[in-house]
């Protein structure tokens, strides 16, 4: 090991230090003021603790609370430890497990006989603030395995013993102390509990969680918290959560009578007429868009023999997400093993393989509104956002290597236009690289990742890298939408795949007369209809654009003498292609308006005797004050134009 190492700073300057120097000492060497503000460092892109010895040279940056990413990671990670310490201070018999950073905060899983209550969360918060006020030092040591196992066995912490067994042998076992409380952790952490912003966190709720996500293991109690750098950011987040609760698609789904779910079909959606109207309108729109985009539409079987899934690699890499179907075939000596398709890709290759394909046939863009089924743990299911049965707007583009760039650019333009039509003006793109468990050689993956990155940059996009999150057969682009209240939703995907065409023996005749493997581009724009409709409902708070609204117009009578005219107006609106209905109940007009406003009907036409006499309507718009009286023909013309889907305008 070298006695001296060279560290290069963000400004390009480099300095030599003795091997084993800590980031804290590096910060002190630059300026005492920086050392006081330092919270961690980044070494060649890896987040490290100020107290860790640095044995090899590289590019280093000293992080302070002004650096969003590192600061929030440390704040949330330290809050997880402080919360666990507070829980064990209040209930010493509680066993601790793991507490990772997630989303806007963290969670920590506990093994405790008594359930936590909302009042308990308040007590834990108070104890956390006391710990922060104590400003205890945070320190770390590296222990050997035998010592760590003996330590946790002596303290009666079996979950920590199991975690040690799961940590690879070449990884150091880091033991962190926050004051006199200790936890096994990879780090990094802040240098003192007093660095945490005591007014910028909140414990939100408790949920059940199986140990390591395994339903055969003990059920634990998971406490969730959120944390930010300051009180204002916390307040903004809590306001967003309140708004999100109002927009919850499950709540709005009931109010708008869109769908329901029940225990006899977990993770499956029962679409009501109003919800199905949204679904089919969106599907019709996508069908027209895809046809105009040069796609041919196909449909493939729901139940497919195990053999195909083995050939494609799904049986080995994806079986835990598949529903297995055993069939007693007539005269068969053993049951035939099938699976409900979790995705459409292998079936599309089967269509491609029928008949001889030429290079002149490429690119071949093959689309399917494919109904798929994937096993999700019951605890992960969430309304129509996370389901077991869903339909994808799925497509696969069979092309040559030379066509990857053009087809990627073409798809990004296609997706951008669709998202704009649906109310999302911009999106982010993430580049998901090879996962640990994958099919295909490193050489093939190098080629796929290089091709996709080059194509993405050629389309004018520099994506964020999402390491290890690619599909088992290829890297992918993930398109992330931001909704009206600032939440991110990963929807569309685009993947380059050299593996499946090889495994499933797809080929085309090239210009040279020889057989060649096509490249397979997997792409989805919306993702699943179920989830995307949930996103739309929450983005618009149920107030969908007129063309997507399931009930576009309600014509409501003010007096019963106007009923005949109400039905004539409804018939004229329906003739013009609008989804219109009559409300001639013997109720006051204000009652009707309130009820239909709760149901998020965009337009209510009120009809009294004045409107009958003048052949007019009194038009009320959702969330607008007052109404306007206009001629019936004018109203029909305006609403018909407004209700046209964006691609038909």
């Amino acid at each position: 090991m070298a006695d001296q190492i060279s560290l290069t700073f963000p400004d390009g300057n480099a300095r030599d230090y003795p091997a084993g120097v800590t980031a804290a000492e590096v910060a002190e060497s630059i300026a005492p003021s920086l050392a006081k503000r330092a919270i961690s460092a980044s070494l060649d892109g890896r987040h490290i603790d100020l107290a860790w010895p640095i044995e090899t040279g590289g590019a280093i940056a000293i992080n302070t609370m002004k650096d969003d990413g590192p600061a929030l990671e440390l704040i949330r990670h330290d809050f997880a430890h402080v919360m666990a310490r507070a829980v064990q201070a209040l209930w010493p018999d509680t066993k601790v497990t793991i507490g990772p950073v997630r989303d806007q905060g963290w969670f920590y899983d506990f093994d405790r006989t008594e359930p936590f209550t909302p009042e308990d969360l308040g007590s834990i918060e108070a104890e956390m603030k006391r710990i922060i006020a104590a400003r205890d030092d945070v320190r770390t040591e590296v222990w050997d395995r035998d010592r760590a196992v003996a330590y946790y066995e002596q303290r009666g912490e079996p979950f920590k013993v199991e975690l040690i067994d799961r940590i690879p042998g070449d990884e150091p076992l880091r033991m962190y102390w926050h004051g006199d409380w200790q936890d096994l952790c990879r780090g990094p952490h802040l240098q003192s509990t007093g660095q945490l912003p005591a007014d910028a966190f909140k414990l939100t709720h408790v949920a059940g969680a199986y140990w390591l996500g395994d339903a055969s293991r003990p059920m634990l109690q998971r406490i969730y918290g959120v944390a930010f750098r300051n009180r204002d950011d916390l307040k903004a987040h809590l306001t967003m959560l309140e708004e999100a609760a109002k927009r919850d698609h499950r709540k709005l789904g009931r109010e708008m009578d869109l769908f329901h779910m029940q225990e006899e079909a977990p993770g499956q959606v029962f679409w009501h007429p109003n919800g199905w109207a949204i679904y089919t309108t969106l599907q019709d729109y996508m069908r027209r868009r895809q046809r105009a985009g040069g796609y041919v539409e196909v449909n493939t079987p729901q139940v497919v023999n195990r053999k195909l899934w083995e050939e494609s690699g799904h049986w080995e890499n994806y079986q835990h997400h598949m529903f297995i179907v055993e069939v007693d075939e007539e005269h068969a000596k053993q049951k035939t093993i099938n699976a409900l398709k979790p995705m459409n890709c292998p079936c599309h290759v089967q269509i491609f393989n029928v008949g001889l394909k030429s290079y002149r046939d490429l690119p071949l863009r093959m689309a399917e509104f494919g109904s798929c089924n994937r096993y999700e743990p019951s605890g992960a299911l969430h309304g129509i956002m996370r389901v077991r049965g869903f339909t994808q707007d799925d497509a696969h583009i069979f092309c040559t290597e030379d066509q990857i760039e053009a087809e990627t650019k073409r798809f990004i333009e296609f997706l951008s236009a669709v998202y704009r039509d649906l109310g999302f003006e911009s999106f982010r793109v993430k580049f998901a690289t090879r996962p640990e468990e994958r099919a295909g050689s490193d050489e093939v993956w190098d080629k796929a990742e290089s091709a996709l990155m080059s194509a993405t940059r050629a389309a004018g996009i520099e994506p964020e890298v999402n390491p290890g999150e690619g599909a088992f057969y290829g890297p992918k682009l993930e398109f992330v939408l931001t909704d009206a209240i600032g939440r991110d939703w990963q929807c569309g995907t685009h993947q380059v795949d050299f593996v499946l065409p090889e495994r499933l023996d797809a080929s085309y005749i090239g210009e040279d007369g020889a057989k060649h493997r096509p490249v397979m581009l997997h792409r989805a724009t919306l993702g699943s209809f179920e989830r995307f409709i949930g996103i739309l409902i929450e983005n618009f708070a149920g107030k969908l654009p007129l063309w997507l609204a399931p009930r576009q117009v309600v014509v409501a009578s003010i007096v019963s003498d106007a009923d005949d005219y109400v039905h004539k107006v409804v018939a004229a609106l329906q003739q013009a292609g609008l989804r219109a209905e009559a409300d001639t109940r013997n109720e006051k007009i204000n009652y009707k308006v309130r009820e239909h406003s709760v149901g998020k009907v965009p337009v209510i036409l009120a009809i009294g005797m004045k409107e009958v006499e003048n052949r007019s309507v009194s038009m009320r718009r959702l969330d607008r004050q007052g109404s306007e009286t206009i001629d019936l023909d004018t109203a029909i013309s305006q609403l018909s134009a407004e209700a046209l889907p964006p691609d038909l305008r």
Side-chain angles (χ1 to χ4, degrees), residues 8-10 23 40-44 46 48 50 58-63 67:
T8 304
F9 296 92
S40 66
S42 298
L43 182 65
D44 289 337
R46 183 170 60 94
I48 66 169
L50 288 176
I60 192 170
I62 304 298
N63 301 316
D67 296 298

Side-chain angles (χ1 to χ4, degrees), residues 449-465:
E449 288 179 346
S450 175
L452 184 56
M453 180 61 84
S454 296
T456 307
R457 287 172 173 160
I461 292 174
E462 186 62 39
E464 305 170 30
V465 176

Side-chain angles (χ1 to χ4, degrees), residues 167-179:
I167 295 174
D170 57 348
E171 272 194 37
L173 291 184
R174 294 198 177 275
M175 312 293 271
Y176 271 91
W177 278 263
H178 292 65

Side-chain angles (χ1 to χ4, degrees), residues 36-57:
K36 289 180 180 179
R37 292 182 290 112
I39 57 172
S40 66
S42 298
L43 182 65
D44 289 337
R46 183 170 60 94
H47 199 186
I48 66 169
D49 197 295
L50 288 176
W52 294 354
I54 302 172
E55 303 293 353
T56 58

Side-chain angles (χ1 to χ4, degrees), residues 386-587:
R386 190 79 178 265
V387 292
R388 291 176 176 174
F390 58 94
T391 299
Q392 290 181 306
D393 67 323
D394 200 12
H396 296 91
I397 302 167
F398 297 89
C399 65
T400 67
E401 287 188 42
D402 291 341
Q403 293 168 334
I404 292 174
E405 182 175 310
E407 288 301 307
T408 297
K409 183 173 184 292
R410 182 189 181 104
F411 173 63
I412 292 174
E413 291 170 350
F414 174 89
L415 173 140
S416 301
V418 169
Y419 285 177
R420 281 195 302 272
D421 283 352
L422 296 173
F424 300 97
E425 292 296 327
S426 62
F427 53 84
R428 301 195 336 269
V429 181
K430 295 183 179 181
F431 184 91
T433 61
R434 67 194 74 186
E436 287 188 15
E437 295 184 10
R438 58 185 182 268
S441 66
D442 286 345
E443 181 184 4
V444 167
W445 273 88
D446 288 343
K447 183 165 67 170
E449 288 179 346
S450 175
L452 184 56
M453 180 61 84
S454 296
T456 307
R457 287 172 173 160
I461 292 174
E462 186 62 39
E464 305 170 30
V465 176
N466 196 7
E469 293 300 317
F472 75 84
Y473 46 78
K476 66 180 175 179
L477 300 181
E478 300 171 330
F479 298 88
V480 182
L481 297 174
T482 302
D483 70 10
I485 58 174
R487 296 172 301 178
D488 286 343
W489 302 97
Q490 191 266 301
C491 297
T493 57
H494 181 74
Q495 304 164 38
V496 172
D497 180 7
F498 290 91
V499 174
L500 275 186
E502 179 70 33
R503 294 186 71 124
L504 298 179
D505 197 26
S507 65
Y508 68 93
I509 303 302
E511 197 170 0
D512 58 359
K515 280 188 175 183
H516 299 268
R517 295 286 183 217
V519 180
M520 193 173 177
L521 306 180
H522 306 242
R523 51 112 292 194
T525 308
L526 306 183
S528 84
F529 278 91
E530 288 74 10
R531 182 168 178 270
F532 201 89
I533 289 171
I535 293 169
L536 286 173
I537 291 168
E538 296 198 1
N539 181 64
F540 290 105
K543 302 161 193 172
L544 295 168
L546 188 62
W547 73 276
L548 266 177
R551 303 166 66 211
Q552 293 174 324
V553 186
V554 168
V555 186
S557 59
I558 299 173
V559 294
S560 59
D561 288 346
D563 287 357
D564 287 345
Y565 181 60
V566 166
H567 290 296
K568 289 178 181 177
V569 171
V570 169
L573 290 166
Q574 291 175 342
Q575 182 67 29
L578 289 152
R579 293 186 285 275
E581 58 190 70
D583 184 349
T584 56
R585 293 174 298 166
N586 186 25
E587 300 284 357

Side-chain angles (χ1 to χ4, degrees), residues 84-97 109-114 116 152 154-159 181 220-221:
R85 174 180 170 182
V87 167
Q88 288 197 312
L90 294 168
W91 300 281
D93 292 338
T94 302
K95 293 179 173 58
V96 295
T97 62
D109 290 345
F110 300 96
D111 185 21
R112 179 174 179 243
T113 304
E114 295 296 320
F116 291 110
Y152 284 120
Q154 183 180 3
R155 295 173 63 87
E157 294 282 7
F159 298 100
W181 185 86
L220 307 173
Q221 295 186 68

